[in-house]
Amino acid sequence: MQKISFNLVEKNANVEIPENLIFGKVFSPHMFEMTYDESKGGWIDPQITKVDELALSPAAMVFHYGQAIFEGLKAFKQVDGKIAMFRPKDNFKRLNNSAERLCMPKVDSDFALEALKELVAVDKEWIPNRPGYSLYIRPVMFSTDPVLGVRPSDTYKLYFLLSPVGPYYPEGFKPVPILATDKYIRAAAKGVGACKCAGNYAASLLAQKEAKQQGFSQVLWLDSIEQKYIEEVGTMNIFIQFKNEVVTPMLTGSILPGVTRMSVIQILKDWGYNMNERNVSIAEVVSAYDSGDLVEIFGTGTAAVISSLSKLKYHEKLMTFNENEAGELGKKLYAEITGIQYGKIPDRYGWLTFLDNV
Ligand SMILES: *Cc1c(COP(=O)(O)O)cnc(C)c1O
């Protein structure tokens, strides 16, 4: 395993994490970074260093051809003081899947995990110690060859940023109104929808903006071919609870395989729910709503964990669920997953990775 060099800023005795943390605006002082250089045999120069401005050529390939991927996961200070990360190996596996699809170099997952543990240990005082708070971890990789011309870059940069975050819904677990769109799609079949690549988010902004203008907080995305099947909600996976079945869209290649999605599927199966991954059309949801067969809908993702829908609008049809309160199943799942993350419920699936000696 390569040796990580440490280039730390002077230790600040008392870390002051701001009270009102806005998601993703505050960063810890250190990051892990390493460089990929094909001509030097691969990944080199791993270091934990100060978070600082980057110097990049204006010709750097990432600005022109968009080889950029990222991940999102969290570390928690648990009730007994231990520090745990939630399923980090799954995030590195997904990072490597994204890398492969975009002709970017893979990282050694074991090394990446060790590097991340070292980084979190260096900045462990930046993990807030309040209920609902955590340390959001953002791994990023992008191409850096200063060359115009469409081909895979020979050089890349990888870094991990740490951001202390508060609860996603500071006023409590609040359901959100969603607009189903067939005017735009998020990701095309056989494209890069299953990758966490930067371009997917740029492509989703206009739909998001138009939904906001109409008073909705997110978009519900339909499939790229017929705009018939439900895919995702905003940047979350979606679950629909019918009276006798819970459904999440099957992974067709244009859906991001969420770690939270995977966790929710497993928990629901263990709780004895009839949990299925299959195609589910927007027409099926409307008809279940009309017949009283629809119970609740929620999104899943690392940032919010569970996000219940208050309303869903599709064309002229407005469906309302839980006006002011999240649905029962969503609340139960939120309590279960965060309970495991904060060490209040035993980690029966082995989802947590603990920092050694911290
Ligand atoms: C990150 C992301 C998710 C959720 O994935 P998690 O691993 O659960 O955080 C879902 N959909 C999209 C489009 C995403 O980018």
Side-chain angles (χ1 to χ4, degrees), residues 58-109:
M61 277 190 164
V62 64
F63 300 130
H64 308 268
Y65 313 117
Q67 278 179 298
I69 57 177
F70 65 94
E71 272 302 325
L73 66 155
K74 282 176 173 172
F76 302 85
K77 197 159 275 173
Q78 296 199 319
V79 283
D80 64 359
K82 280 201 212 123
I83 295 167
M85 293 190 269
F86 189 69
R87 310 192 71 169
K89 288 175 200 149
D90 292 300
N91 290 91
F92 288 123
K93 196 165 151 197
R94 191 170 65 192
L95 183 76
N96 278 334
N97 287 340
S98 299
E100 186 164 36
R101 179 64 179 81
L102 271 76
C103 290
M104 298 168 79
K106 292 193 183 181
V107 296
D108 175 339
S109 305

Side-chain angles (χ1 to χ4, degrees), residues 297-312:
I297 305 181
F298 55 87
T300 67
T302 294
V305 187
I306 303 286
S307 185
S308 283
L309 267 62
S310 58
K311 298 183 184 126
L312 176 59

Side-chain angles (χ1 to χ4, degrees), residues 5-271:
S5 68
F6 288 78
N7 179 16
L8 305 186
V9 296
E10 230 153 278
K11 198 93 180 159
N12 188 350
N14 28 351
V15 170
E16 293 253 359
I17 303 172
E19 270 294 325
N20 294 315
L21 284 172
I22 298 168
F23 193 91
K25 287 214 170 169
V26 174
F27 298 95
S28 81
H30 296 101
M31 65 181 190
F32 168 80
E33 68 166 85
M34 63 180 174
T35 302
Y36 183 90
D37 192 333
E38 188 76 38
S39 72
K40 292 178 181 157
W43 289 107
I44 52 169
D45 206 13
Q47 49 183 301
I48 289 174
T49 183
K50 193 169 120 188
V51 173
D52 208 348
E53 322 247 291
L54 300 170
L56 286 171
S57 164
M61 277 190 164
V62 64
F63 300 130
H64 308 268
Y65 313 117
Q67 278 179 298
I69 57 177
F70 65 94
E71 272 302 325
L73 66 155
K74 282 176 173 172
F76 302 85
K77 197 159 275 173
Q78 296 199 319
V79 283
D80 64 359
K82 280 201 212 123
I83 295 167
M85 293 190 269
F86 189 69
R87 310 192 71 169
K89 288 175 200 149
D90 292 300
N91 290 91
F92 288 123
K93 196 165 151 197
R94 191 170 65 192
L95 183 76
N96 278 334
N97 287 340
S98 299
E100 186 164 36
R101 179 64 179 81
L102 271 76
C103 290
M104 298 168 79
K106 292 193 183 181
V107 296
D108 175 339
S109 305
D110 293 335
F111 178 69
L113 184 58
E114 282 314 305
L116 179 57
K117 282 185 184 174
E118 294 274 3
L119 174 66
V120 174
V122 164
D123 279 347
K124 62 176 188 292
E125 274 97 38
W126 288 84
I127 312 175
N129 203 357
R130 280 167 265 168
Y133 286 66
S134 59
L135 188 71
Y136 184 79
I137 301 165
R138 169 54 57 88
V140 189
M141 192 202 298
F142 56 86
S143 55
T144 55
D145 276 11
V147 179
L148 303 184
V150 181
R151 59 158 176 81
S153 179
D154 289 330
T155 59
Y156 296 85
K157 189 65 110 180
L158 170 76
Y159 56 75
F160 307 157
L161 277 176
L162 306 179
S163 174
V165 295
Y168 206 75
Y169 298 107
E171 334 77 82
F173 198 50
K174 208 171 162 281
V176 291
I178 299 292
L179 179 66
T181 183
D182 53 16
K183 187 175 169 194
Y184 306 101
I185 56 149
R186 189 192 81 90
K190 303 188 184 181
V192 292
C195 307
K196 250 179 145 66
C197 65
N200 285 343
Y201 304 85
S204 73
L205 296 175
L206 184 57
Q208 162 87 16
K209 181 175 157 189
E210 290 182 8
K212 282 238 159 87
Q213 283 163 350
Q214 294 175 54
F216 296 88
S217 75
Q218 282 287 358
V219 172
L220 183 133
W221 300 102
L222 301 173
D223 77 276
S224 63
I225 297 168
E226 300 175 273
Q227 289 83 65
K228 181 176 166 190
Y229 297 104
I230 289 173
E231 297 224 316
E232 299 203 52
V233 56
T235 57
M236 289 183 287
N237 294 114
I238 187 166
F239 285 73
I240 298 145
Q241 186 187 18
F242 300 108
K243 280 225 169 99
N244 298 309
E245 185 188 18
V246 184
V247 177
T248 191
M250 58 197 276
L251 300 177
T252 53
S254 50
I255 292 173
L256 198 285
V259 175
T260 319
R261 173 188 183 276
M262 196 160 52
S263 309
V264 165
I265 291 171
Q266 178 145 20
I267 291 170
L268 288 180
K269 283 187 175 166
D270 289 353
W271 282 350

